[in-house]
């Protein structure tokens, strides 16, 4: 196998503010894995969950160091590479996992969802995200989304540094806007909230019942994630008995072991490819969650259509898709999942179903390739 890597930037049309800060531009890594004339592509990049942080430059160094070890190896069977992938950080593993899956799908000539036997008729609408800000700015962002797609699910970021009263003001204003749209169109719009770990236990308890009274359907990661797994689970346990709406773990849930640890205390988990280390673990998590009666959310960071297109291959297993980051980019270098109303459909081409060089910026504009082989 020959591995090549290049860096590229992704610029948000509207910067996104959450409880931990604001993101306008990120740098990601584009992987190309070549064998037998076929090229599999993958994407990865740094991210921060509040208790764990990965830098894109460090991920690049991991992959550069790995490249010589890939030279004598074959891209299939995928199982033979498990030990090599396990040695990587989750985001580095994600990039290579995606490239391997793309190569494998292309070798077989079919998209991954068909290899897994998934039913595209089961795909649910994706949510669109409203970041933190003033009431006026958040409502303006909602209206902008509605000019782009007929969003029937809205995720509102909470955990404002300005405190719970500002969170309540945002929820009240957005809920009123959704009700006006329902009255005008007859179509209900679902409201979700994501605190991104921005509340303490007292604040979370104060918010949960209040949110339920306003028909919010779920609350995501109300408490900060903790490195100690028992203490982290105890936070969800302290909320679970009194929680009148669905309680979803995000930053606390990275892999199958975390899912099993949190399953007694949550109603769902948010799977993100950069956290899980790619599609192999994400598929296992989604299947296990469904067997355990948990809802599945499928989320993203500041990802392009490549990462979201890869995640979209799992959509038939997902209750709450949340793959909107690529819809908020001005320079996406990939064309990925098609948008049908507010439902994403994975690409029909083989592998990940993603085409490079067909998005907002041509491949040549991303800078010279950095050969790793």
């Amino acid at each position: 196998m020959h591995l090549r890597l290049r860096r590229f930037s992704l610029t948000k049309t509207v910067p996104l503010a959450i409880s931990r800060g604001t993101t306008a531009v990120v740098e990601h890594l584009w992987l190309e894995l070549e064998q037998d004339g076929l090229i599999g592509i993958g994407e990865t990049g740094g991210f921060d969950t509040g208790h764990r942080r990965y830098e894109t430059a460090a991920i690049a160094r991991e992959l550069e160091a790995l490249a010589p070890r890939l030279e004598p190896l074959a891209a299939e069977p995928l199982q033979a590479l498990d030990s090599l992938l396990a040695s990587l950080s989750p985001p580095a593993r994600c990039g290579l996992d995606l490239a391997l899956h793309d190569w494998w799908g292309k070798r077989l000539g079919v998209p991954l969802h068909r290899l897994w036997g998934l039913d595209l008729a089961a795909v649910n609408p994706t949510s669109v995200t409203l970041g933190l800000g003033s009431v006026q700015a958040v409502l303006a962002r909602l209206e902008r989304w509605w000019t782009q797609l007929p969003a029937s699910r809205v995720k509102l970021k909470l955990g404002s540094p300005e405190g719970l009263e500002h969170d309540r003001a945002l929820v009240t204003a957005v809920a009123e806007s959704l009700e006006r749209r329902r009255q005008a169109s007859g179509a209900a719009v679902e409201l979700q909230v994501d605190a991104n770990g921005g509340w303490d236990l007292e604040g979370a308890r104060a918010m949960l019942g209040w949110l339920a009274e306003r028909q919010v359907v779920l609350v995501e990661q109300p408490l900060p994630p903790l490195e100690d797994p028992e203490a982290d689970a105890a936070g969800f346990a302290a909320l679970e008995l009194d929680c009148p709406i669905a309680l979803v773990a995000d930053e606390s849930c990275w892999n199958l072991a975390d899912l099993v640890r949190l399953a007694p205390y949550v109603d769902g988990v948010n799977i993100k490819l950069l956290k899980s280390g790619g599609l192999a673990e994400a598929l296992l998590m989604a299947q296990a969650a469904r067997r355990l009666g948990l809802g599945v959310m499928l989320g993203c960071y500041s990802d392009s259509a490549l990462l979201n297109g890869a995640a979209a291959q799992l959509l038939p297993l997902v209750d709450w898709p949340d793959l909107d980051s690529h819809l908020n980019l001005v320079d996406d270098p990939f064309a990925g999942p098609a948008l049908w109303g507010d439902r994403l459909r994975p690409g029909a081409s083989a592998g990940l179903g993603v085409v490079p060089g067909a998005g907002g910026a041509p491949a040549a504009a991303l800078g010279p390739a950095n050969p790793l082989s």
Side-chain angles (χ1 to χ4, degrees), residues 19-36:
S19 62
R20 294 190 298 272
T22 300
T23 304
V25 183
V26 299
E27 183 182 65
H28 272 204
L29 303 172
W30 173 355
L31 287 77
E32 292 183 340
L33 186 70
E34 184 172 3
Q35 182 182 315
D36 299 335

Side-chain angles (χ1 to χ4, degrees), residues 105-156:
K106 288 173 177 174
R107 166 57 64 89
L108 298 176
V110 289
L112 294 175
H113 67 267
R114 287 187 57 195
L115 287 171
W116 296 329
L118 302 183
D119 181 7
L120 293 188
V123 170
N124 289 306
T126 189
S127 59
V128 296
T129 304
L130 305 178
L132 285 170
S134 68
V135 169
Q136 294 77 12
V138 169
L139 291 178
R141 181 68 181 108
L142 177 58
E143 292 298 327
R144 182 171 184 144
W145 273 124
W146 277 331
T147 67
Q148 191 172 353
L149 72 163
S152 62
R153 284 177 161 173
V154 173
K155 177 185 284 192
L156 174 63

Side-chain angles (χ1 to χ4, degrees), residues 162-170 207:
E162 297 179 45
L164 296 182
E165 286 308 309
H166 186 66
D167 281 351
R168 291 190 181 101
L170 291 177
M207 288 295 291

Side-chain angles (χ1 to χ4, degrees), residues 30-33 39-43 95 98-100 102-103 106 306 334 352 354-356:
W30 173 355
L31 287 77
E32 292 183 340
L33 186 70
I39 297 176
I41 59 175
E43 178 186 353
L98 264 55
L100 285 165
D102 191 46
W103 187 94
K106 288 173 177 174
L306 174 49
F334 301 99
L352 301 181
V354 178
V355 179

